[in-house]
Coordinates of all heavy atoms in Angstrom, one line a residue:
R1936 N 19.7 6.9 -17.3 CA 21.1 7.2 -16.8 C 21.3 8.6 -16.6 O 22.4 9.1 -16.0 CB 22.1 6.5 -17.6 CG 22.3 5.0 -17.3 CD 23.5 4.4 -18.0 NE 23.5 2.9 -17.5 CZ 23.0 1.9 -18.0 NH1 22.0 2.1 -18.9 NH2 23.2 0.6 -17.5
Q1937 N 20.4 9.5 -16.9 CA 20.5 10.9 -16.6 C 20.4 11.1 -15.1 O 19.9 10.1 -14.4 CB 19.3 11.7 -17.3 CG 19.3 11.6 -18.8 CD 18.0 12.1 -19.5 OE1 18.0 12.5 -20.5 NE2 16.9 11.8 -18.6
P1938 N 21.0 12.1 -14.6 CA 21.1 12.2 -13.1 C 19.9 11.9 -12.4 O 19.8 11.3 -11.4 CB 21.7 13.6 -12.9 CG 22.4 13.9 -14.2 CD 21.7 13.1 -15.3
L1939 N 18.8 12.5 -12.8 CA 17.5 12.3 -12.0 C 16.6 11.3 -12.7 O 15.5 11.1 -12.3 CB 16.8 13.5 -11.8 CG 17.6 14.6 -11.0 CD1 16.9 15.9 -10.9 CD2 17.8 14.1 -9.5
G1940 N 17.2 10.6 -13.7 CA 16.3 9.6 -14.4 C 15.3 10.4 -15.3 O 15.7 11.5 -15.9
F1941 N 14.1 9.9 -15.6 CA 13.2 10.7 -16.5 C 11.8 10.8 -15.9 O 11.4 9.7 -15.2 CB 13.3 10.3 -17.9 CG 13.0 8.9 -18.2 CD1 11.6 8.6 -18.6 CD2 13.8 7.9 -18.0 CE1 11.3 7.2 -18.8 CE2 13.4 6.5 -18.2 CZ 12.1 6.2 -18.6
R1942 N 11.0 11.5 -16.4 CA 9.6 11.5 -16.0 C 8.8 10.9 -17.2 O 8.9 11.3 -18.3 CB 9.2 13.0 -15.8 CG 7.8 13.1 -15.2 CD 7.6 14.5 -14.9 NE 6.5 14.5 -13.8 CZ 5.3 14.1 -14.0 NH1 4.8 13.7 -15.1 NH2 4.5 14.1 -12.9
L1943 N 8.0 10.1 -16.9 CA 7.1 9.4 -17.8 C 6.0 10.5 -18.4 O 5.5 11.1 -17.6 CB 6.3 8.2 -17.4 CG 7.1 6.9 -17.1 CD1 6.4 5.8 -16.5 CD2 7.6 6.4 -18.6
H1944 N 6.0 10.5 -19.7 CA 5.1 11.4 -20.4 C 3.6 11.1 -19.9 O 3.3 9.9 -19.8 CB 5.3 11.2 -21.8 CG 4.3 12.0 -22.6 ND1 4.2 13.4 -22.7 CD2 3.2 11.6 -23.4 CE1 3.3 13.7 -23.5 NE2 2.6 12.7 -24.0
Q1945 N 2.9 12.2 -19.5 CA 1.6 12.1 -18.9 C 0.7 13.0 -19.7 O 0.6 14.2 -19.6 CB 1.6 12.7 -17.6 CG 1.9 11.6 -16.4 CD 0.6 10.9 -16.1 OE1 0.0 10.3 -16.9 NE2 0.4 10.8 -14.8
P1946 N -0.1 12.4 -20.7 CA -0.9 13.3 -21.6 C -1.9 14.2 -20.8 O -2.0 15.3 -21.2 CB -1.7 12.2 -22.5 CG -0.9 11.0 -22.4 CD -0.1 11.0 -21.1
A1947 N -2.5 13.6 -19.8 CA -3.4 14.5 -19.0 C -2.7 15.7 -18.4 O -3.4 16.7 -18.2 CB -4.0 13.6 -18.0
R1948 N -1.5 15.6 -18.2 CA -0.8 16.7 -17.6 C -0.7 17.9 -18.7 O -0.5 19.0 -18.4 CB 0.7 16.2 -17.3 CG 1.4 17.1 -16.3 CD 2.7 16.5 -16.0 NE 3.7 17.5 -15.7 CZ 3.9 18.0 -14.5 NH1 3.3 17.6 -13.5 NH2 4.9 18.9 -14.4
E1949 N -0.7 17.3 -20.0 CA -0.8 18.4 -21.0 C -2.2 18.7 -21.5 O -2.4 19.1 -22.6 CB 0.2 18.0 -22.1 CG 1.7 18.2 -21.7 CD 2.6 17.1 -22.1 OE1 2.3 16.6 -23.4 OE2 3.4 16.6 -21.4
L1950 N -3.1 18.3 -20.7 CA -4.5 18.6 -21.1 C -4.9 17.7 -22.2 O -5.9 18.2 -23.1 CB -4.8 20.0 -21.3 CG -4.5 20.9 -20.0 CD1 -4.7 22.3 -20.3 CD2 -5.3 20.4 -18.9
I1951 N -4.3 16.7 -22.5 CA -4.8 15.7 -23.6 C -5.4 14.5 -22.8 O -4.8 13.8 -22.0 CB -3.6 15.2 -24.4 CG1 -2.9 16.3 -25.2 CG2 -4.0 14.1 -25.5 CD1 -1.6 16.1 -25.7
F1952 N -6.7 14.4 -22.9 CA -7.5 13.5 -22.2 C -7.9 12.2 -23.1 O -8.8 12.4 -23.9 CB -8.7 14.1 -21.5 CG -8.3 15.3 -20.6 CD1 -8.5 16.6 -20.9 CD2 -7.6 14.9 -19.4 CE1 -8.1 17.6 -20.1 CE2 -7.1 16.0 -18.5 CZ -7.5 17.2 -18.9
Q1953 N -7.3 11.1 -22.9 CA -7.6 9.9 -23.6 C -8.7 9.2 -23.1 O -8.7 8.1 -22.6 CB -6.3 9.2 -23.7 CG -5.2 9.8 -24.5 CD -3.7 9.2 -24.4 OE1 -3.6 8.4 -23.4 NE2 -3.0 9.4 -25.4
T1954 N -9.9 9.9 -23.1 CA -11.1 9.3 -22.6 C -12.1 8.9 -23.6 O -11.8 9.3 -24.7 CB -11.8 10.2 -21.6 OG1 -12.1 11.4 -22.3 CG2 -10.9 10.5 -20.3
A1955 N -13.2 8.5 -23.3 CA -14.3 8.1 -24.3 C -14.6 9.5 -25.1 O -14.9 9.3 -26.2 CB -15.5 7.6 -23.6
T1956 N -14.7 10.6 -24.4 CA -15.1 11.9 -25.1 C -13.9 12.7 -25.6 O -14.1 13.8 -26.3 CB -16.0 12.7 -24.3 OG1 -15.2 13.0 -23.0 CG2 -17.3 12.0 -23.9
G1957 N -12.7 12.2 -25.2 CA -11.6 12.9 -25.6 C -11.5 14.2 -24.6 O -10.6 15.2 -25.0
K1958 N -12.3 14.3 -23.7 CA -12.2 15.4 -22.8 C -12.2 14.8 -21.4 O -12.5 13.6 -21.1 CB -13.6 16.2 -22.9 CG -13.5 16.9 -24.3 CD -14.5 18.0 -24.3 CE -14.3 18.7 -25.7 NZ -15.1 20.0 -25.7
A1959 N -11.9 15.7 -20.4 CA -12.0 15.2 -18.9 C -13.4 15.2 -18.7 O -14.2 16.1 -19.0 CB -11.2 16.3 -18.1
M1960 N -13.7 14.0 -18.0 CA -15.2 13.8 -17.9 C -15.7 13.8 -16.5 O -15.2 13.2 -15.6 CB -15.5 12.3 -18.3 CG -15.3 12.2 -19.8 SD -15.3 10.5 -20.5 CE -17.0 10.0 -20.2
F1961 N -16.6 14.8 -16.3 CA -17.4 14.9 -15.0 C -18.1 13.5 -14.8 O -18.7 13.0 -15.7 CB -18.3 16.1 -14.9 CG -17.7 17.3 -14.8 CD1 -17.4 18.1 -15.8 CD2 -17.2 17.8 -13.5 CE1 -16.7 19.4 -15.6 CE2 -16.7 19.1 -13.2 CZ -16.4 19.7 -14.4
S1962 N -18.3 13.2 -13.5 CA -19.2 12.0 -13.2 C -20.2 12.4 -12.3 O -20.2 13.4 -11.7 CB -18.4 11.0 -12.5 OG -17.9 11.4 -11.3
T1963 N -21.4 11.6 -12.4 CA -22.6 11.9 -11.7 C -23.1 10.8 -10.8 O -24.2 10.6 -10.8 CB -23.7 12.4 -12.7 OG1 -23.8 11.4 -13.6 CG2 -23.3 13.7 -13.4
A1964 N -22.2 10.1 -10.2 CA -22.7 9.0 -9.4 C -23.4 9.5 -8.3 O -23.2 10.5 -7.6 CB -21.4 8.2 -8.9
P1965 N -24.5 8.7 -7.9 CA -25.4 9.0 -6.7 C -24.5 8.8 -5.4 O -23.6 8.1 -5.3 CB -26.4 8.0 -6.8 CG -25.9 6.8 -7.5 CD -24.9 7.4 -8.4
L1966 N -25.0 9.7 -4.4 CA -24.2 9.7 -3.2 C -24.5 8.3 -2.4 O -25.6 8.0 -2.3 CB -24.7 10.7 -2.2 CG -23.9 12.0 -2.1 CD1 -24.5 12.7 -0.8 CD2 -22.4 11.8 -2.1
P1967 N -23.3 7.5 -2.0 CA -23.7 6.3 -1.4 C -24.1 6.6 0.1 O -23.9 7.6 0.6 CB -22.4 5.6 -1.4 CG -21.3 6.6 -1.5 CD -22.0 7.7 -2.2
D1968 N -24.8 5.6 0.6 CA -25.0 5.7 2.1 C -23.8 5.3 2.9 O -23.5 4.0 2.9 CB -26.3 4.8 2.4 CG -26.8 5.1 3.8 OD1 -26.2 5.9 4.6 OD2 -27.7 4.4 4.3
A1969 N -23.2 6.2 3.6 CA -22.0 5.8 4.4 C -22.3 5.5 5.8 O -21.5 5.2 6.5 CB -21.0 7.0 4.3
L1970 N -23.5 5.6 6.2 CA -23.8 5.5 7.6 C -23.9 4.0 8.1 O -24.3 3.1 7.4 CB -25.3 6.1 7.9 CG -25.2 7.6 8.4 CD1 -24.7 8.5 7.3 CD2 -26.5 8.1 8.8
P1971 N -23.5 3.8 9.4 CA -23.6 2.4 9.8 C -25.1 2.0 10.1 O -25.9 2.8 10.4 CB -22.8 2.4 11.2 CG -22.8 3.8 11.5 CD -22.8 4.7 10.3
P1972 N -25.5 0.8 9.9 CA -26.8 0.4 10.3 C -27.0 0.6 11.8 O -26.0 0.7 12.5 CB -26.9 -1.1 10.0 CG -25.7 -1.4 9.1 CD -24.6 -0.3 9.4
P1973 N -28.3 0.7 12.3 CA -28.6 0.9 13.7 C -27.8 0.0 14.6 O -27.8 -1.2 14.3 CB -30.0 0.9 13.8 CG -30.5 1.1 12.5 CD -29.5 0.7 11.5
G1974 N -27.1 0.6 15.6 CA -26.4 -0.3 16.6 C -25.1 -0.8 16.1 O -24.4 -1.3 17.0
K1975 N -24.6 -0.5 14.9 CA -23.5 -1.0 14.5 C -22.5 0.2 14.3 O -22.9 1.4 14.3 CB -23.6 -1.6 13.1 CG -24.7 -2.8 13.1 CD -24.2 -4.1 12.9 CE -25.0 -5.4 13.0 NZ -26.3 -5.2 13.0
L1976 N -21.3 -0.2 14.0 CA -20.2 0.8 13.7 C -19.6 0.6 12.4 O -19.5 -0.6 11.9 CB -19.1 0.9 14.8 CG -19.6 1.1 16.3 CD1 -18.5 0.9 17.3 CD2 -20.1 2.6 16.4
I1977 N -18.9 1.5 11.9 CA -18.1 1.3 10.6 C -16.6 1.2 11.1 O -16.1 2.2 11.8 CB -18.2 2.4 9.6 CG1 -19.6 2.6 9.2 CG2 -17.3 2.1 8.4 CD1 -20.3 1.4 8.4
L1978 N -15.9 0.2 10.8 CA -14.6 0.0 11.3 C -13.5 0.1 10.1 O -13.7 -0.5 9.1 CB -14.4 -1.4 11.9 CG -12.9 -1.8 12.4 CD1 -12.5 -1.1 13.5 CD2 -12.9 -3.4 12.6
S1979 N -12.5 0.9 10.4 CA -11.4 1.1 9.3 C -10.2 0.3 9.9 O -9.9 0.6 11.0 CB -11.3 2.6 9.1 OG -10.7 2.9 8.0
T1980 N -9.5 -0.4 9.0 CA -8.3 -1.1 9.4 C -7.2 -0.2 8.9 O -7.0 0.2 7.7 CB -8.2 -2.5 9.0 OG1 -8.2 -2.4 7.5 CG2 -9.4 -3.4 9.4
M1981 N -6.1 0.0 9.6 CA -5.0 0.9 9.2 C -3.7 0.4 9.8 O -3.6 -0.6 10.6 CB -5.4 2.2 9.5 CG -5.5 2.4 11.0 SD -6.1 4.0 11.5 CE -5.9 3.9 13.3
R1982 N -2.7 1.1 9.4 CA -1.3 0.8 10.0 C -1.0 1.6 11.3 O -1.5 2.8 11.4 CB -0.3 1.2 8.9 CG -0.3 0.2 7.7 CD 0.0 1.0 6.4 NE -0.1 0.2 5.3 CZ -1.3 -0.2 4.7 NH1 -2.4 0.3 5.2 NH2 -1.3 -1.0 3.7
S1983 N -0.1 1.0 12.1 CA 0.4 1.8 13.2 C 1.7 2.5 12.7 O 2.1 2.2 11.5 CB 0.8 0.8 14.4 OG 2.0 0.2 14.1
H1984 N 2.3 3.2 13.5 CA 3.5 4.0 13.1 C 4.7 3.0 12.9 O 5.6 3.2 12.2 CB 3.9 5.0 14.2 CG 5.1 5.8 13.8 ND1 5.1 6.7 12.6 CD2 6.4 6.0 14.3 CE1 6.3 7.1 12.5 NE2 7.1 6.8 13.4
D1985 N 4.6 1.9 13.7 CA 5.8 1.1 13.8 C 5.5 -0.2 13.1 O 5.8 -1.5 13.5 CB 6.2 0.8 15.2 CG 7.4 1.3 15.6 OD1 8.0 2.1 14.8 OD2 8.0 1.1 16.7
Q1986 N 5.1 -0.1 11.8 CA 4.8 -1.3 10.9 C 5.0 -1.0 9.7 O 5.0 0.1 9.2 CB 3.5 -1.9 11.3 CG 2.4 -1.3 10.4 CD 1.0 -2.0 10.8 OE1 0.5 -1.8 11.9 NE2 0.5 -2.8 10.0
W1987 N 5.4 -2.0 8.8 CA 5.4 -1.7 7.3 C 4.5 -2.9 6.7 O 4.9 -4.0 6.6 CB 6.8 -1.8 6.6 CG 6.8 -0.8 5.6 CD1 7.2 0.5 5.7 CD2 6.4 -1.0 4.3 NE1 7.1 1.1 4.5 CE2 6.5 0.3 3.6 CE3 5.7 -2.0 3.5 CZ2 6.1 0.4 2.3 CZ3 5.3 -1.8 2.3 CH2 5.6 -0.5 1.7
N1988 N 3.2 -2.6 6.5 CA 2.2 -3.5 6.0 C 2.3 -4.6 7.0 O 2.0 -4.4 8.2 CB 2.4 -4.0 4.7 CG 2.1 -2.8 3.6 OD1 1.5 -1.8 4.1 ND2 2.6 -2.9 2.3
T1989 N 2.6 -5.9 6.6 CA 2.5 -7.0 7.5 C 3.8 -7.2 8.3 O 4.0 -8.1 9.1 CB 2.3 -8.2 6.7 OG1 3.5 -8.6 5.9 CG2 1.1 -8.3 5.9

Side-chain angles (χ1 to χ4, degrees):
R1936 285 187 166 82
Q1937 297 165 154
L1939 297 175
F1941 64 96
R1942 188 173 204 293
L1943 283 173
H1944 172 68
Q1945 274 271 52
R1948 198 176 150 87
E1949 283 141 45
L1950 302 176
I1951 298 164
F1952 299 109
Q1953 295 168 338
T1954 60
T1956 57
K1958 298 196 167 185
M1960 288 166 71
F1961 282 99
S1962 63
T1963 55
L1966 264 194
D1968 186 5
L1970 268 62
K1975 307 247 179 6
L1976 300 169
I1977 304 291
L1978 173 71
S1979 201
T1980 64
M1981 60 189 187
R1982 289 144 183 80
S1983 78
H1984 183 66
D1985 250 7
Q1986 83 183 74
W1987 217 95
N1988 294 344
T1989 67

